[in-house]
Amino acid sequence: MTAEHFVSRLELAAQPDAVRWARRHGRDVLGAWHVPSDHVDTAMLVVSELVTNAVRHVIKAAPATGSVRLALILRHRGTHLIVEVADPGVRPPQKTGAVSPDSESGRGLFIVENVSKEWGYYFPPTGGKVVWCVLALD
């Protein structure tokens, strides 16, 4: 594959099925970009975790508003893939403390941290926040 740069953006409503649609879109896009399947699987794990976190926290913060939007942005940069999830929230993402083995949540950012080269967040001038991570493709 050449070192071309590709970008995909998907707008989603902040509702529980957003995770399913984000994964479906991500698999289609990364397949079209000829990303190897093992990297696609890792990217979909990250997409699931970041979109799930965004949906949960946005719904908690503003449950009465039904039109809250998220965005999934995928950037292929030849040797790495950048996954970004933008949401209107203003609270920084936080890793939770110790999580019990039978807990159903609380591991998302630990997973993202462990499978990515690096991760972080920023507050764009347009408002909200973007949580991102970089996945190595080599």
Side-chain angles (χ1 to χ4, degrees):
M1 172 173 235
T2 64
E4 292 183 64
H5 295 190
F6 302 104
V7 178
S8 171
R9 180 181 179 96
L10 175 67
E11 299 282 332
L12 298 157
Q15 55 193 33
D17 69 346
V19 177
R20 178 173 43 97
W21 287 110
R23 280 194 310 258
R24 174 182 259 174
H25 175 78
R27 281 198 184 280
D28 289 348
V29 167
L30 298 184
W33 292 346
H34 304 289
V35 173
S37 62
D38 57 330
H39 294 299
V40 172
D41 292 341
T42 302
M44 292 310 94
L45 176 62
V46 167
V47 165
S48 292
E49 296 301 334
L50 293 181
V51 173
T52 296
N53 284 349
V55 168
R56 279 188 183 151
H57 295 289
V58 167
I59 288 174
K60 277 184 194 175
T65 61
S67 62
V68 176
R69 306 295 289 176
L70 309 174
L72 168 66
I73 303 101
L74 301 171
R75 300 177 192 278
H76 189 299
R77 296 295 184 249
T79 60
H80 60 280
L81 179 71
I82 302 167
V83 177
E84 300 175 320
V85 175
D87 69 61
V90 294
R91 287 187 42 213
Q94 294 180 336
K95 292 189 291 184
T96 57
V99 178
S100 72
D102 57 341
S103 179
E104 292 184 17
S105 64
R107 295 178 189 84
L109 291 177
F110 287 106
I111 291 169
V112 171
E113 183 176 62
N114 284 311
V115 300
S116 64
K117 242 175 109 172
E118 60 184 313
W119 77 277
Y121 65 93
Y122 64 93
F123 299 104
T126 55
K129 75 172 168 300
V130 176
V131 181
W132 58 269
C133 74
V134 177
L135 303 172
L137 294 177
D138 46 5

